[in-house]
Each structure stands twice: as C-alpha cells, then as structure tokens.
C-alpha cells in the first residue's frame, strides 16, 4: 500500500533524479575543430596573427578598437596558441587575394554572404594540402544592433548585442575552433542574447579546444557543421530539449505510475495532470527534425567554384525529380585553397541534399545526409537533364 508520506517521498526522489539526469553538467569535450579532407587540423603556423578592425564596427573608431582589444585578448596567454595581435584599423576590404596583399580583420558589412538570422560569420582561407591558415576575416551584419555595451553591474542593455562578446566568439573561429553545440556556458556556444557579455571570457571548454588544435599530436575530433553565429532563441531551446527529452519522459512516466497506485482520487488526478504537464514541453519533433522534412530534395550533379572578389563562390547543379536547378553557396575549394564561410563547406558531386523553404531574403538552408549544412541561393533552370 502506498500511503501519503511514501508517495511524497517517491515524488521528491523522482524530482531529484530528474534534476540530476536532465540538467547534467556539460560534457567534458563540447568543443569542435576544423579539419582538411585529409584529416589535418586547420590552424595557423605562426606564433602571432596580426588583426585589424573596421573603425565602423562600433559607434566610433575608439569603440571598435576597444571591442577588438577585449575579444582578441580573451584568447591570449594560452601556451602554444598563436596570439591575436591587434594592430589598429583595417585599410583593406574583406576577403582573400591569392596574388595580393591581405589583412586579417573584423568588418561591418551590408549583408552577410549567408542567409538566416546570423549576427556574424568568419571567413577562413587555408591551404588544402596541409590546413595552414592564410587569412581570416570576421564579418558583422550591418543591419543588426551590435555595439560595445557596458558590462554588469552597470546594467544589462537588452536593446543591443555586445560587440566584444560577438568578436570573442568569432575570434575562436579565427583560431580554428568550430561551435560548441553542447555547452551553453562556452564562448563558442553559437547563440548570443541581447545584452549578454559573458562570452567575453572564454570557458574551460574553449581553452581545451584551442589547446587541442595546436597540440603536436594528430587530432581526431570531428569538425562542426553550421552556417553562422546567431541570436538566442529557438535553436538554444531545441538543443536543451534534445538533451533532456529522455530524463523528462522517464520522470513523467514515474509520476503517472504513482498516480495509478494512489488510492486517493484527488491525489491521483493531480499526479496525472502533473505527468502530462511535465511531458508536454518535450513532445513533438525537435527543430532539426522538422526542418529536415521540409523543402526540396535532390542530388548534386556538378560543382563549379569561382572567385568573386576575395570570396570563393560555388555553384551546385542539382537534379530534383527531373527538375534542374542551381544552388549558389559561399565558400569552396579552388587552386589548392579552401575557403570556409562559417563552418560550412559546399556539398560535393553526388551528395544528396535537402533544401528548406526560402527565408525572407530568398536564401535556403541546405542539409546533407552526412550532417553538412549551410545557406545558398536557389534558382530553377527548367525540366531537363543536367549537362
């Protein structure tokens, strides 16, 4: 027989178990890295990486330089890791010139070369054969309200995104890190909330990741696949739901089981309602599953990459059920160089892709069965065979 005291103890024990299982500490290795096709780490071969900033990044040149100083300095002092050295204002446009002079910098641009809700993206150019980085540029979306804001306790500014926090995150990409999708406390977590300044200080996971990149031994971590660094919202919630779905379901079942064993009608009803309330937020498909089921599905039949200014652009001819179209994706490989725009690389010939419905700016998110993803512009070419 289950009396009231026993019932209360069981519910408390179940609640504690759910807290332990559902809100478990972040994994010891949430960071991700970037690798060449041959499995070599993408990283700098120099001890000091010169960096410059666009004077229009912040409200004025002084603010822009201060944000750069905070962001680049956050990664300093880690043994064996290159120093991101701020050398003043940039004098050049973003992008890489294979036969010219280049600068690594942080720029404010009218429109990012990717779609979606990204605040910023890092464009990295490296040698295809050995993964040595040659150039890295941080691009910040001009239409976003991004400025250097005061840190607490001066008060949280919920109207703007912190430029220093955003640049600190992107600086991790400059050094070769991908996103930390499983550790919201990490600077490399790909979401930034209005007024948030915590990302200015790198976490233990960030330091472990950048140390691993520049370690002497061969690395074997998978690189991340994504597009850019966005605002906080659905993505963060979907990730938390995915991690806590099983513990929450088990707890809900336990509560419902206790309800069935209770002899008190009032307690039984209350426990049934509680069980359904616990299960409801985790019911239904996650955002990733829903996105994968929508849009166009096709096969990449041919791939061609070209230079447009300092950026590589890849045209992917896709056959979707007899309908031919072209997906134009930023980044790619050409002339022994690879350029990543964010973490994404364009799909290769023979890849099966899913294209989501277009965003408001016309860009479509694409995903592959192997986990690759990014954004591109899709244009129909008519019902014919791909040539």
């Amino acid at each position: 027989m289950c009396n009231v005291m026993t019932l209360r103890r069981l519910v408390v024990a179940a609640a504690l178990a759910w807290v332990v299982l559902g809100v478990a500490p972040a994994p010891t290795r949430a960071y991700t890295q970037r690798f060449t096709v041959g499995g070599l780490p993408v990283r700098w071969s120099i001890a000091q990486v010169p960096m410059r900033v666009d004077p229009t990044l912040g409200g004025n040149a002084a603010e822009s330089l201060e944000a750069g100083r905070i962001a680049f300095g956050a990664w300093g002092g880690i043994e064996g890791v290159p120093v991101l050295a701020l050398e003043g204002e940039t004098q050049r446009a973003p992008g890489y010139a294979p036969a010219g002079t280049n600068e690594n910098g942080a720029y404010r641009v009218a429109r990012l070369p990717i779609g979606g809700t990204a605040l910023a993206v890092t464009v990295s150019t490296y040698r295809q054969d050995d993964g040595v980085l040659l150039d890295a540029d941080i691009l910040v979306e001009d239409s976003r309200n991004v400025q250097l804001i005061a840190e607490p306790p001066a008060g949280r500014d919920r109207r703007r995104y912190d430029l220093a926090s955003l640049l600190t995150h992107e600086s991790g990409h400059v050094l070769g890190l991908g996103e930390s999708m499983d550790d919201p406390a990490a600077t490399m977590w790909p979401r930034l909330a209005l007024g948030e300044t915590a990302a200015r200080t790198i976490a233990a996971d960030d330091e472990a990741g950048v140390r691993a990149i520049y370690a002497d031994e061969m690395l074997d971590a998978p690189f991340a696949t994504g597009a850019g660094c966005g605002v906080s919202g659905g993505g963060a919630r979907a990730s938390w739901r995915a991690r806590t779905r099983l513990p929450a379901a088990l707890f809900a079942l336990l509560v419902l089981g206790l309800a069935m064993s209770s002899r008190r009608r009032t307690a039984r009803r209350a426990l049934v309602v509680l069980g359904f309330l616990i299960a409801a937020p985790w019911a239904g498909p996650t955002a990733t599953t829903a996105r994968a089921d929508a849009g166009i599905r096709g096969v990449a039949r041919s791939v061609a990459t070209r230079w447009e200014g300092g950026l590589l652009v890849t045209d992917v001819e896709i056959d979707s059920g007899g309908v031919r179209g072209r997906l134009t994706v930023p980044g790619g490989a050409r002339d022994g160089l690879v350029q990543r725009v964010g973490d994404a690389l364009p799909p290769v010939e023979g890849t099966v892709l899913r294209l989501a419905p277009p965003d408001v700016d016309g860009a479509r998110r694409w995903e592959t069965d192997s986990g690759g993803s990014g954004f591109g512009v899709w244009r129909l070419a008519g019902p014919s065979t791909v040539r």
Side-chain angles (χ1 to χ4, degrees):
M1 184 174 69
C2 181
N3 58 37
V4 175
M5 184 60 68
T6 302
L7 184 63
R8 288 176 179 173
R9 289 174 179 173
L10 285 172
V11 171
V12 170
L16 290 174
W18 178 78
V19 169
V20 171
L21 292 173
V23 193
T28 57
R29 182 175 172 174
Y31 63 84
T32 57
Q33 302 161 223
R34 296 166 177 171
F35 291 83
T36 67
V37 174
L40 295 175
V42 175
R43 59 186 179 183
W44 297 94
S45 63
I46 52 180
Q48 184 166 295
V49 180
M51 299 292 297
R52 292 181 176 272
V53 297
D54 181 345
T56 67
L57 265 181
N60 51 57
E63 185 178 292
S64 302
L65 289 168
E66 177 63 11
R69 183 193 66 78
I70 294 171
F72 305 148
W75 298 92
I78 304 175
E79 185 178 359
V81 176
V83 174
L84 301 179
L86 178 60
E87 295 191 349
E89 299 178 11
T90 181
Q91 304 297 322
R92 302 181 184 276
Y96 180 73
T101 303
N102 294 281
E103 287 183 349
N104 308 302
Y107 305 82
R108 185 176 287 273
V109 296
R111 187 172 183 272
L112 296 180
I114 58 174
T117 59
L119 296 171
V121 70
T122 295
V123 180
S124 303
T125 307
Y126 58 90
R127 293 200 298 250
Q128 192 169 25
D129 59 345
D130 59 8
V132 171
L133 279 161
L134 304 175
D135 185 77
D137 292 321
I138 299 169
L139 310 182
V140 178
E141 172 72 59
D142 182 54
S143 65
R144 301 291 184 179
N145 193 1
V146 180
Q147 293 185 23
L148 184 66
I149 64 177
E151 287 190 279
R156 181 168 175 175
D157 187 339
R158 298 183 182 275
R159 300 166 299 166
R160 297 174 292 183
Y161 297 99
D162 179 41
L163 178 59
S165 294
L166 185 61
L167 292 183
T168 304
H169 174 98
E170 297 299 324
S171 296
H173 293 319
V174 169
L175 289 169
L177 280 172
E179 312 289 7
S180 290
M181 302 301 294
D182 295 322
D183 187 358
T187 291
M188 299 312 296
W189 171 256
R191 299 280 170 174
L192 182 65
L194 287 166
E196 180 184 340
T197 59
R200 294 183 182 186
T201 303
I202 65 171
D205 182 71
D206 304 309
E207 182 172 342
V210 78
R211 282 183 181 275
I213 291 175
Y214 294 93
D216 292 333
E217 63 269 17
M218 181 64 70
L219 307 175
D220 60 357
F223 59 79
T225 52
C229 306
V231 299
S232 63
R237 184 171 180 269
S239 177
W240 185 80
R241 281 178 57 198
R243 292 198 302 273
T244 57
R245 181 187 293 270
L246 179 60
L250 293 175
F251 182 48
L253 288 174
L254 177 59
V255 172
L256 291 173
L258 291 174
M260 299 302 295
S261 65
S262 175
R263 293 188 175 186
R264 290 174 175 260
R265 179 178 299 179
T266 302
R268 184 165 60 249
R269 289 177 177 176
L271 286 170
V272 168
V273 172
L274 177 61
F276 280 109
L277 287 177
I278 291 170
W282 286 264
T286 63
T288 300
T289 303
R291 185 176 61 246
D293 292 339
I296 301 167
R297 185 177 178 88
V299 180
R301 297 301 187 190
S302 66
V303 176
T305 304
R306 66 185 189 278
W307 285 102
E308 282 192 2
L311 296 178
L312 280 174
V313 177
T314 300
D315 292 321
V316 184
E317 300 287 344
I318 297 176
D319 186 4
S320 176
V323 177
R324 183 164 55 93
R326 174 178 295 177
L327 181 69
T328 301
V329 180
R334 183 184 174 92
D335 305 325
L337 300 176
V338 177
Q339 191 174 79
R340 286 183 185 270
V341 180
D343 278 324
L345 280 176
V348 298
E349 189 171 344
T351 302
V352 178
L353 301 93
R354 295 176 298 275
L355 305 181
D359 292 338
V360 292
D361 60 359
R364 288 178 181 265
R365 183 177 180 86
W366 57 267
E367 295 181 343
T368 68
D369 291 341
S370 60
S373 65
F375 283 89
V377 177
W378 169 254
R379 294 181 178 87
L380 285 174
S384 61
T385 304
V386 177
R387 293 174 292 183

